[in-house]
Amino acid sequence: MLQVVFRILGPLDISAEGRPVALQGGRQRTLMSMLLLAPGRVVSVDALADAVWHGDPPATARNQIAICVSGLRKTLKTAFGVDGVLVTSHPGYMLFPGEHRIDAVEFEERAAEGRVAARRGDLEEARAHLGEALAMWRGPALEGVTAERVEAEAQRLTELRLDVYEQLTAIRLELGLHGELVAELTGFVRENPLREQAIGQLMLAQYRCGRRAEALETYRDGQRLLARELGIDPGPALQELHEEILADSPRLMPPTEQVTPAPPTPVPAHLPPAPASFTGRRDELAALDRLLDHLDGTALPVGCVTGTGGVGKTALAVHWAHQVVARFPDGRLFADLRGYDEEEAPRRPGAVLDRFLRALGVPGPQIPADQVERTALFRSVLDGRRVLIVLDNARSFQQIRPLLPATSGCCVLVTSRDSMGGALAGDYAYVPLQLGSLEQDESLTLLSRVAGDERFGADPVGAARLSELCDRLPLALRIAAARLAAKPHWSVRTLVSRLEDQHRRLDELSIDSRGVRAGLRLSYRGLPADTARMFRLLGVLSVPDFSAWAGAALLDLDPVDAEDLIEQLVDAQLLEPVSVGAGHVRYRFQDLLRLFARECALAEDTEEERRAAVRRAGGAWLALAREAHRRMYGGDYTVVHGPAPLRELPAHLVDSLLEDPMGWFETERLPLTALVDQLAREDESAHAWDLAVTAVTLFQNRNYLEDWGDCAGAALEAARRTGDRLGEAAVLQSLGTLEIIRWEFDSAHARLLPALRLFEELDRPQGRALVLRNLALCARNQGDLDRAGRLVREALDVFREVGDHYAEAHALGMLAQIELERGDAQASLRLSSQAVAKSRGLGTVRGEAQSTVRLADALIHQGDGERAEAACRRALELVLDSGDRRGEAHVLRSLGEALWRQGKLEEAETVLRGALQAAEQVPDRYLQARAAVVLGCVRSVRSDRAGAAASLTRADGLFAEVGVRLWRERVERLLRMLGQDEPGHSARLFALARP
């Protein structure tokens, strides 16, 4: 079983072997705090409830406490496999520590050991124990837990901490260490001005350092404060010390029998000042705190903070180091290794070792010239000491390896753009930390701190946008805030407007050699040539994220080689992985990095090289989109393609990517739409329109109508600018389909008629037939069934001639629907059966589902509800497997009608409510209205007049929005029947509810 470490001397923190566990919500944190404050003792349910609800628990408090404790047990069990820590024991619960560690318990144990050692006269041992006890504190006890009972106990621990500090100070004075105490005690007394023992200790330290006047002034300050705050005089001990100082009593000097201590071992304190504007990073600081858990282990604790330039690695490392200085009484070493410096070479380990050894007290002549010998001496000097070593801006593991001690009592914290995980993991107690951008609220706090005024609070929207434009990177945020501080006449929006211009943003954030551009250049300049080219050309793409195969297309490489280059960019913190799907990692740029990459591409690659790379990427996306469409439709059907060259990927990779074709389309939706827009803007018309019309597979299936319109609109403009008549025809036919789905039939005609003319002029029969089919849809929905039938039959002949089997099945289904609406159910049944057979032969799920619903509709019309239900259930399996929500709404509406036809009214109503919900989620107002009509009729048959009226009224409003006049007339008749209290005769209602 793992040993769990519970820490409450600071924010509540639970971990095991460096792995943290996060508690769920404030109640769990309060309960755990209460139990940790009384380890091994029962805490009553009443006490727990009083703490959780601040003295006013609800009637259900006991049950809620039990639920919360159960959740705590589950959390610990899930995280660490730990069981039996929280024990039920009347009248409440108990935390059973067992072999688990609690820092507060260890603190009190170390303090007790220190007092025992002091009583037997072993002052050095007492000093060590008390120092270890104080070093366990990371901040106020249980910081952030606001329960009154918890705060009271936390205050007890704080008082104990102050007592231990004064005990340790007394021992240090007795050891003659008054010289190092004056500054420290001055700060302590300033924070705790009413503690008379500390005041006396400061007076004594000052006196022994020859600062008699300061000692007397310290007494007078304390005397005035005690009188003002408490109305009392200093106690007898402080008064006696004051009199002895006035009299220069010899008793005030260290005991004469005290042996003059040997010259103290130097305690280096190399840390730079803690950054004043440091903000947030609570989780990251807690992660670094786990290094401290390994100080008494067998392996050297080594942390490595990685992240892109400007993310705040050094600030985090220095801030954390200052927080934990008490844990390293033998010193803190710091070195900037200049791993990515633009002007100077990285620092040699030997030079750093020389500096470290001198700081640790090794005389210069004793430092060996050989680096290996220096490392051996360094490790020998550190043996048995507790020293923190911060190695900033490291280039590689080879640079830091000679600087790593051999003892676990020390701790090393590295900052780098290289994670070094492969070298550090396994041999060291390794704690990696990938540092990302700040959270939004942290970003706003940093902006306000640096700018030092109220402009951000007065314009929260502008502040939020400024944070986004800076990628929430601390360096960029500080520069932006500093610019505002230097320009008090600027508003936040002034700077935002300057940063909105992508061509100026890096300039605005790179005002000197420490700006954003300079930091990014340090990472870029060290890249191998192929990796740098990958970085530049990825920046040319305008997609939000991508997989490695896209990089392979850009550089015309094998996908595995491309992935290696991209992973090098990840290691260099120039790209970040964002998700993994079906074994394929996706990557993205931060905006500032993308701008920098594009800037590098403009400077180093020719326009033709950049355009060729984008064309290759477009060819890869298009090849995959076509193949995904083929797998969805059973062949390369229903789409007109052009001459755009494809970039085919290896077959095994395509199979892996398109294992779920619709899932691939969904994953690529945002990149695909962004790429169509880029291709269109750059007048790569052939790729733009082919990709736009092929992506309709996604747009129509998942109802992304806005994306459909945007892509088609951009592609149409590009086709017209470049004189691409085939592209213009294909996109007009696609837009016509979109207008039909939106029930905009006049607009559909305006698109379809010029498309028909262009296809005829270009002698493209398949495109012409697709337009004829769409014109038939317009005619049918406008009530002209004769014309609709003629147009569909003309299209059907062409589909058969050119071998577009999917479109052929769809046309048969359309004819079946038209015949059904003409009243010829037998012809409809025959045609829909042919459509089902044709679709099933193609192996296309969507086509078979559509044809099967048409078959069910014909069976319903003939009164065969049982066979219709079976057909619908088959279609339902198909659409649910493919995630087709629009198809699901159609099937459920038809299934509801089949159940109604059989008299299964209760089940029919349930199914129809599901149809309505599915249509709402698409969303499709016509589908919603159709489902609402049938639902209203079923409710009417069930004598639920109010429910029926609500459904029909809703349907009427939806049909009005869509503009379907014929259906509105039907709904009005149904509402009149309902209002006139006519009997809900099922046959009459059915006649009106059906097309």
Side-chain angles (χ1 to χ4, degrees):
M1 182 175 70
L2 294 177
Q3 183 187 63
V4 181
V5 180
F6 298 93
R7 298 198 295 174
I8 63 175
L9 301 180
L12 176 61
D13 181 77
I14 305 173
S15 63
E17 293 189 354
R19 291 188 290 113
V21 57
L23 301 185
Q24 304 300 313
R27 290 184 185 177
Q28 282 197 4
R29 295 179 65 81
T30 299
L31 284 182
M32 181 57 80
S33 299
M34 288 286 289
L35 295 170
L36 284 169
L37 288 167
R41 304 197 303 274
V42 176
V43 182
S44 70
V45 173
D46 290 339
L48 294 172
D50 186 75
V52 169
W53 284 282
H54 305 284
D56 187 23
T60 59
R62 300 188 74 83
N63 286 337
Q64 293 193 52
I65 292 294
I67 292 170
C68 194
V69 170
S70 175
L72 278 172
R73 286 173 174 155
K74 182 177 180 181
T75 297
L76 292 173
K77 179 72 173 177
T78 301
F80 305 130
V82 172
D83 214 346
V85 177
L86 303 183
V87 180
T88 302
S89 180
H90 183 76
Y93 301 92
M94 178 181 71
L95 187 142
F96 179 70
E99 296 181 357
H100 307 303
R101 294 173 52 195
I102 302 174
D103 63 353
V105 173
E106 294 180 356
F107 165 73
E108 296 197 40
E109 290 173 351
R110 294 288 185 279
E113 291 168 357
R115 287 190 290 269
V116 169
R119 282 196 295 271
R120 67 170 181 260
D122 193 339
L123 299 186
E124 286 293 352
E125 183 179 345
R127 177 190 174 196
H129 285 312
L130 294 173
E132 289 176 5
L134 290 171
M136 295 179 187
W137 285 77
R138 300 169 291 115
L142 289 168
E143 183 180 16
V145 181
T146 58
E148 186 175 341
R149 283 176 176 259
V150 173
E151 291 173 341
E153 185 62 18
Q155 184 58 38
R156 182 192 73 81
L157 288 170
T158 299
E159 289 296 323
L160 184 56
R161 176 190 188 186
L162 299 176
D163 291 342
V164 171
Y165 178 83
E166 290 173 342
Q167 292 163 11
L168 176 59
T169 301
I171 290 171
R172 293 164 72 186
L173 285 168
E174 195 168 351
L175 288 170
L177 303 177
H178 43 269
E180 66 183 38
L181 278 171
V182 173
E184 184 178 309
L185 274 169
T186 299
F188 182 85
V189 169
R190 187 182 303 116
E191 294 177 4
N192 304 276
L194 300 180
R195 295 189 70 90
E196 292 190 39
Q197 183 175 350
I199 294 173
Q201 290 173 335
L202 175 57
M203 292 167 60
L204 183 57
Q206 290 170 325
Y207 182 82
R208 287 181 177 178
C209 290
R211 297 157 69 170
R212 181 170 179 268
E214 292 180 26
L216 294 171
E217 182 61 29
T218 296
Y219 176 83
R220 286 192 292 272
D221 289 343
Q223 183 182 43
R224 285 192 293 268
L225 187 67
L226 289 167
R228 184 174 70 247
E229 297 292 330
L230 304 177
I232 61 173
D233 292 323
L238 202 57
Q239 291 185 34
E240 182 180 348
L241 176 61
H242 177 244
E243 294 298 327
E244 289 182 334
I245 291 174
L246 287 172
D248 287 320
S249 170
R251 294 194 309 113
L252 298 180
M253 299 309 293
T256 55
E257 65 272 18
Q258 179 92 23
V259 177
T260 303
T265 301
V267 178
H270 287 179
L271 293 178
S277 62
F278 185 85
T279 302
R281 303 295 196 190
R282 179 169 181 163
D283 291 343
E284 290 84 352
L285 291 168
L288 293 179
D289 282 344
R290 296 200 294 275
L291 289 166
L292 305 177
D293 298 336
H294 299 285
L295 289 178
D296 296 315
T298 58
L300 173 71
V302 179
C304 188
V305 182
T306 56
T308 190
V311 80
K313 300 183 292 296
T314 302
L316 175 69
V318 172
H319 181 83
W320 180 79
H322 277 283
Q323 282 192 329
V324 299
V325 289
R327 298 295 297 271
F328 302 96
D330 298 316
R332 283 77 59 193
L333 298 169
F334 179 92
D336 179 0
L337 300 183
R338 299 198 299 252
Y340 294 87
D341 196 287
E342 191 164 17
E343 297 179 357
E344 299 184 62
R347 299 187 71 177
R348 293 178 294 104
V352 178
L353 283 167
D354 180 83
R355 176 168 166 265
F356 281 178
L357 286 167
R358 292 174 187 272
L360 290 166
V362 178
Q366 297 180 19
I367 297 175
D370 182 74
Q371 180 179 295
V372 174
E373 293 183 9
R374 284 185 182 183
T375 295
L377 177 61
F378 179 61
R379 290 172 177 167
S380 298
V381 170
L382 290 180
D383 187 44
R385 298 193 192 182
R386 287 194 181 274
V387 175
L388 173 64
I389 303 167
V390 180
L391 302 176
D392 187 38
N393 200 21
R395 180 77 183 191
S396 64
F397 177 69
Q398 286 69 29
Q399 188 185 25
I400 69 167
R401 185 175 186 177
L403 308 176
L404 300 180
T407 172
S408 64
C410 294
C411 177
V412 178
L413 181 58
V414 182
T415 74
S416 179
R417 303 184 191 190
D418 179 355
S419 69
M420 305 186 198
L424 291 170
D427 293 334
Y428 302 90
Y430 175 49
V431 177
L433 179 60
Q434 174 68 40
L435 197 59
S437 299
L438 292 172
E439 297 295 330
Q440 181 73 338
D441 58 339
E442 295 172 346
S443 301
L444 300 180
T445 300
L446 178 57
L447 286 168
S448 297
R449 282 184 179 176
V450 176
D453 57 32
E454 300 301 320
R455 278 178 284 183
F456 296 107
D459 185 4
V461 175
R465 180 56 180 154
L466 181 60
S467 170
E468 292 174 11
L469 291 169
C470 293
D471 279 343
R472 303 198 307 277
L473 285 176
L475 174 61
L477 291 164
R478 283 197 297 271
I479 291 171
R483 295 209 67 192
L484 282 174
K487 300 282 186 182
H489 54 285
W490 280 12
S491 69
V492 175
R493 299 296 177 102
T494 303
L495 185 54
V496 166
S497 65
R498 296 171 74 94
L499 295 182
E500 291 275 11
D501 183 349
Q502 293 191 3
H503 301 292
R504 295 180 54 90
R505 193 179 308 167
L506 283 174
D507 292 332
E508 296 288 340
L509 297 174
S510 303
I511 52 178
D512 57 30
S513 61
R514 295 170 297 169
V516 172
R517 182 184 282 113
L520 299 181
R521 188 181 296 114
L522 294 179
S523 295
Y524 174 70
R525 74 186 184 99
L527 296 175
D530 286 347
T531 311
R533 184 165 178 253
M534 176 68 80
F535 175 69
R536 297 194 303 271
L537 293 182
L538 284 172
V540 170
L541 277 184
S542 295
V543 297
D545 56 71
F546 48 84
S547 290
W549 56 261
L554 284 169
L555 268 67
D556 200 17
L557 293 176
D558 178 85
V560 175
D561 293 335
E563 186 174 41
D564 289 343
L565 296 180
I566 288 174
E567 285 296 329
Q568 289 179 32
L569 293 174
V570 172
D571 293 340
Q573 311 301 322
L574 294 171
L575 275 181
E576 56 186 16
V578 288
S579 67
V580 180
H584 300 281
V585 184
R586 298 191 71 79
Y587 306 88
R588 76 174 180 90
F589 280 106
Q590 290 183 330
D591 282 350
L592 292 174
L593 277 164
R594 183 191 302 281
L595 291 175
F596 179 71
R598 192 170 296 166
E599 191 175 271
C600 292
L602 289 171
E604 300 179 42
D605 300 300
T606 67
E607 181 180 1
E608 182 49 39
E609 287 173 334
R610 298 193 303 270
R611 291 180 69 94
V614 172
R615 280 195 297 271
R616 288 193 296 269
W621 256 286
L622 181 56
L624 284 168
R626 285 192 184 182
E627 182 58 28
H629 173 86
R630 277 192 288 270
R631 297 185 184 206
M632 288 288 296
Y633 280 76
D636 195 9
Y637 305 132
T638 75
V639 178
V640 175
H641 293 302
L646 305 181
R647 190 184 189 281
E648 302 287 354
L649 297 174
H652 68 89
L653 178 58
V654 174
D655 287 340
S656 176
L657 289 168
L658 301 183
E659 183 177 357
D660 174 10
M662 208 65 222
W664 179 84
F665 263 125
E666 190 71 66
T667 299
E668 296 293 340
R669 178 172 72 92
L670 295 179
L672 191 149
T673 53
L675 184 60
V676 169
D677 182 69
Q678 180 178 4
L679 290 164
R681 281 187 286 104
E682 296 178 6
D683 283 343
E684 299 292 347
S685 172
H687 280 103
W689 71 256
D690 205 335
L691 193 54
V693 298
T694 306
V696 170
T697 309
L698 166 69
F699 301 147
Q700 187 167 10
N701 189 290
R702 296 293 168 87
N703 213 55
Y704 294 127
L705 304 187
E706 188 172 340
D707 288 343
W708 185 349
D710 290 344
C711 285
L716 180 61
E717 290 180 10
R720 285 173 170 166
R721 280 196 306 270
T722 59
D724 188 341
R725 298 170 69 218
L726 178 59
E728 183 179 357
V731 177
L732 284 171
Q733 125 58 31
S734 178
L735 283 169
T737 307
L738 175 60
E739 301 293 9
I740 290 171
I741 289 174
R742 288 172 166 166
W743 294 86
E744 300 288 346
F745 297 112
D746 290 341
S747 297
H749 269 106
R751 304 285 194 180
L752 294 171
L753 292 177
L756 182 64
R757 185 171 57 254
L758 283 167
F759 279 130
E760 288 173 344
E761 291 173 0
L762 294 167
D763 193 21
R764 298 297 294 252
Q766 185 196 19
R768 176 175 173 275
L770 290 171
V771 175
L772 292 174
R773 183 195 63 181
N774 278 351
L775 289 171
L777 280 169
C778 294
R780 178 207 154 207
N781 284 291
Q782 291 173 324
D784 191 346
L785 297 181
D786 291 339
R787 181 167 182 269
R790 289 195 303 273
L791 289 169
V792 172
R793 285 187 173 85
E794 187 177 353
L796 180 59
D797 291 340
V798 177
F799 291 141
R800 285 172 171 162
E801 181 181 336
V802 300
D804 190 338
H805 302 306
Y806 187 96
E808 179 186 351
H810 188 262
L812 287 169
M814 283 182 62
L815 280 175
Q817 187 68 37
I818 291 168
E819 293 301 333
L820 187 63
E821 292 172 13
R822 294 163 77 102
D824 191 345
Q826 192 60 40
S828 177
L829 190 61
R830 184 183 68 257
L831 288 164
S832 54
S833 298
Q834 293 175 24
V836 170
K838 178 65 69 173
S839 299
R840 192 170 294 162
L842 295 172
T844 164
V845 170
R846 190 163 186 263
E848 183 180 349
Q850 289 176 339
S851 300
T852 303
V853 169
R854 296 259 168 75
L855 176 63
D857 286 342
L859 291 168
I860 291 168
H861 198 84
Q862 285 192 322
D864 194 344
E866 188 174 347
R867 285 177 63 200
E869 180 185 349
C872 286
R873 295 201 182 279
R874 165 61 183 160
L876 189 59
E877 290 178 11
L878 294 170
V879 295
L880 290 178
D881 286 344
S882 66
D884 182 358
R885 293 295 281 170
R886 181 188 297 278
E888 183 182 347
H890 275 295
V891 174
L892 289 175
R893 188 267 308 156
S894 188
L895 177 57
E897 292 180 0
L899 293 167
W900 174 17
R901 198 66 160 164
Q902 297 174 76
K904 300 176 181 178
L905 299 180
E906 184 176 354
E907 187 179 356
E909 182 170 347
T910 300
V911 167
L912 289 165
R913 285 201 300 269
L916 194 56
Q917 184 179 18
E920 288 169 349
Q921 291 178 0
V922 171
D924 187 311
R925 290 171 295 175
Y926 177 77
L927 280 177
Q928 292 176 53
R930 284 292 313 277
V933 168
V934 184
L935 179 60
C937 291
V938 170
R939 284 174 168 170
S940 178
V941 175
R942 299 190 71 195
S943 301
D944 179 5
R945 295 184 65 226
S951 294
L952 292 171
T953 301
R954 181 180 182 184
D956 185 54
L958 289 166
F959 282 133
E961 291 179 30
V962 175
V964 186
R965 180 178 54 81
L966 295 175
W967 271 107
R968 287 203 69 193
E969 292 174 357
R970 290 182 181 219
V971 173
E972 287 168 4
R973 290 174 61 188
L974 288 167
L975 284 169
R976 281 198 301 273
M977 288 171 59
L978 198 63
Q980 293 167 4
D981 203 19
E982 294 186 30
H985 190 278
S986 188
R988 293 182 62 197
L989 293 173
F990 195 81
L992 288 172
R994 298 282 302 155

